Amino acid sequence: MKGETAAPTRGGGAGGRSMRLKGLVRKEALQILRDPSSIGIAFVLPLILLLIFGYGVSLDATHVPLAVVVEQPTRQTAAFTAGLAQSEYFDPRGYSDVRAAENALQRGEVDGIVWLRDEFSRKVLAGGAPGIGVFVNGVDANTARIIEGYLQGVWSNWQAAASKGGPYFPVKLEQRVWFNPGLRSRDFLVPGLVAVIMTLIGALLTAMVVAREWERGTMEALLVTPVRVPEILLGKLIPYFLLGMGGLLFSVGMAVWLFAVPLRGSLWVLLAASALFLLTALGMGLLISTVARSQFVAGQVAIVATFLPAFILSGFIFDINSMPAPIQLLTRILPARYYVAILQTVFLAGNIWPVVLLNGLALLAMGAFFLILVRRKTRKRLQ
Amino acid sequence: MWRRIVALTKKELLALLKDKRSRFVVIVPPLVQLLVFSYAATYDLNRVPYAVFNQDQGFASREILARFEGSPIFRLAGALGHEEQIPPLVNGKRVLMVLRLGPHFTRDLLLGRPAPLQLIVDGRNSNTAAVLVGYVRSIVTDFNESWAKAHGSPASLARLDLRAWFNPNLESRWFIVPGIVGLLTLVVTLIVTSLSVAREREAGTFDQLLVTPLRPLEILLGKVLPGFIIGTAEGSFIILMAVAWFHVPLRGSLPALYAGLFLFLLSAIGVGLMISSIAVTQQQGLLGAFLFLVPAIILSGFATPIANMPPLIQHLTLLDPLRYFLLVIRGVFLEGDSIGLLWPQYWPMAAIGLVSLAAAGWLFRHRLY
């Protein structure tokens, strides 16, 4: 209302509104184009992140250096070590005695030791079931567990080959891994990474940009013009929304064409979910900047409240089901959690509607919540 | 000279800590994150929801399923009556795995024929799936051993005696929490330093600083010391929490740990100041910090091992100070490494620190607008 009395000649009708909005969007778009750091966040950051993640991050251990100590070489030990050598998971290195191997483990030259003692073959032939000593470096517990799993595979192959008669495995485990039979960790990390990138574009960029306007006082200047609060907010949202969707298409293109991650669901579902998430992230960014009002604080809060949780609490790398109950509750208020679930499902499993709709609904609710909150907070500051 | 440096340091600390909101963001979030992330970031699986589709009426299937029910790793989410029930449960993420036993499971076992146990795993998170298969396999192996013993079928040829050094129960928290010490120390230091010069440039006070009698070296030291003070304080607190709250064993010596922390802070501050003196605006400073921070975390071996990366990327990690500090802190905490063993990690951090600080000092005066 104030606006109309201040600038009666421009008119307050639909034409004036759309003109004012156009002007704001144009101003914001020019600001984006002229400050290379905004383009940097939207396109260079995804590029670097995807390249580093896609090529660099892998949870699949291969060619693990392994110390092998054979105290008395025989046919039986040769069969076992041949199994290790043939496995692509291991890079076995012979050591003359266990002390030397232990030193190598201590120095970090090998990740594990396989120790066949001198009575090994005698006991095998006598049916005495000798123990094969296995020591792994447990500092990286996850890798240690994976190495143990690989060793069990080698061991059971050796048993099956060495024992001609009778089943030594009463129960035979037949495993079927759905959606990712080769267990390629890249296929699940790259979709999750898209969520991290969208968080950066949405929240960090808007938080910094709007905080800068508050810091310089241009936001107050804008608030006393005939422009209304929703128009100011829309003027900020539209350019960054387009920038974010551009970053998304770019990331998805890289995921599919460069990293050969299968996209089994439809692109439209992916785009719709991403638009919802982007609105939520933009809302969070605007809220942070409105409350913080300085770039330093806004930047810090954006990293702490959006980026790091998206990295650690979203289920992107660490499994949410295994977190303690209070932390699981905490993840429920994170938009990234819902987006990661949709991304991993749409990329690897397809359009599975229960997952997509449930998580999409949660995103919708959170987006509406943040945008309404921003709207209210901004009006308050006017008075 | 020292009085001027102290005055400048005081001014920097005041600029950072006198504002209530900026004091808050430097102190509170790292502590909250330490708690939340240390509990959340784990590769260990707990209470994994699974379903059973058992067509067998015999005792053997009940026996092997009881082993799953008794394990804290698994949580039974339902028994199925039809095969068609499996896909919606797995697709909808209601369960992470399904165990399926055929109608002749017990009979096959008693007749000495291999009895298949089918395991269906949701592979959307491939790491969870791999770990899960490992857990199931070890339960099946145990069952096989005791079945062979009880029913007189031939025993296995040899046993695997698995033992893990330094972390006998393979708790991934012992791996992650020391990593978080490095991660949070890096984030805090970088945020404090990367905006410090850019903020002054934006406000125009940096030019004023340059025309004072202060020499570039003094300005540099005045910007370095606040980062050191804050980084050491937060780093020490997080180390204390790791030991006292999370009970991660600290087996090595404190001097070895603090030598690492000191050199790590030197390199982190150097990189932060270098970014800050290149940046014209705070937004660029923060973006620069990010462009460094994100790859630095990913390539450090914090969450995924460096050994799994392709050779080219492994060479790239050599530029990452966090990589060396993580080796120091995990080495000292879990393996009890001494200062002598850690030289290969100390000197690269010192080199990164000195080079980047020199570059920052040079850029103070030579930055072209």
Side-chain angles (χ1 to χ4, degrees), chain A residues 71-198:
Chain A
E71 290 186 344
Q72 205 182 61
T74 58
R75 269 220 332 259
Q76 283 76 21
T77 64
F80 190 84
T81 52
L84 288 175
Q86 276 157 17
S87 160
E88 59 164 332
Y89 300 124
F90 296 113
D91 177 11
R93 297 165 191 183
Y95 282 81
S96 53
D97 63 298
V98 78
R99 288 294 300 277
E102 283 178 354
N103 282 335
L105 185 63
Q106 190 91 49
R107 283 194 306 271
E109 288 164 17
V110 295
D111 285 341
I113 300 173
V114 173
W115 181 19
L116 302 172
R117 294 178 187 81
D118 59 356
E119 80 271 12
F120 180 78
S121 300
R122 191 168 46 79
K123 279 200 172 171
V124 166
L125 294 175
I132 300 170
V134 174
F135 310 110
V136 293
N137 185 335
V139 171
D140 181 350
N142 191 50
T143 303
R145 206 174 279 128
I146 291 172
I147 294 174
E148 288 187 353
Y150 292 155
L151 274 174
Q152 278 176 341
V154 170
W155 168 76
S156 50
N157 285 343
W158 168 76
Q159 292 240 92
S163 51
K164 304 255 156 36
Y168 287 102
F169 302 103
V171 175
K172 207 167 97 237
L173 188 63
E174 293 173 355
Q175 68 196 56
R176 308 240 187 300
V177 179
W178 285 9
F179 312 125
N180 188 358
L183 287 177
R184 287 207 323 160
S185 59
R186 188 188 283 174
D187 283 2
F188 102 88
L189 286 173
V190 170
L193 186 61
V194 174
V196 174
I197 291 171
M198 297 298 283

Side-chain angles (χ1 to χ4, degrees), chain B residues 67-195:
Chain B
R67 287 173 183 251
F68 286 92
E69 279 161 46
S71 158
I73 294 163
F74 301 103
R75 177 172 60 81
L76 185 62
L80 310 180
H82 297 285
E83 194 177 352
E84 300 83 62
Q85 287 173 301
I86 297 175
L89 268 184
V90 177
N91 290 345
K93 292 198 154 191
R94 307 272 293 283
V95 299
L96 266 183
M97 67 173 206
V98 176
L99 292 170
R100 186 182 166 175
L101 296 92
H104 308 305
F105 186 82
T106 306
R107 201 187 70 190
D108 284 344
L109 272 179
L110 288 172
L111 290 176
R113 287 200 292 243
L117 169 68
Q118 207 186 79
L119 168 69
I120 294 157
V121 187
D122 179 352
R124 268 170 278 190
N125 182 331
S126 64
N127 191 59
T128 307
V131 172
L132 210 51
V133 171
Y135 282 139
V136 172
R137 183 177 291 148
S138 69
I139 287 184
V140 170
T141 306
D142 279 354
F143 176 84
N144 282 345
E145 293 261 313
S146 55
W147 179 273
K149 231 177 249 156
H151 295 82
S153 33
S156 52
L157 290 179
R159 289 171 288 113
L160 275 185
D161 295 334
L162 298 170
R163 209 158 302 152
W165 279 18
F166 310 123
N167 184 359
N169 296 324
L170 289 182
E171 285 186 50
S172 55
R173 190 163 291 153
W174 286 15
F175 176 68
I176 297 283
V177 171
I180 286 178
V181 175
L183 179 78
L184 291 182
T185 309
L186 180 67
V187 172
V188 169
T189 318
L190 215 57
I191 295 285
V192 168
T193 53
S194 70
L195 293 184

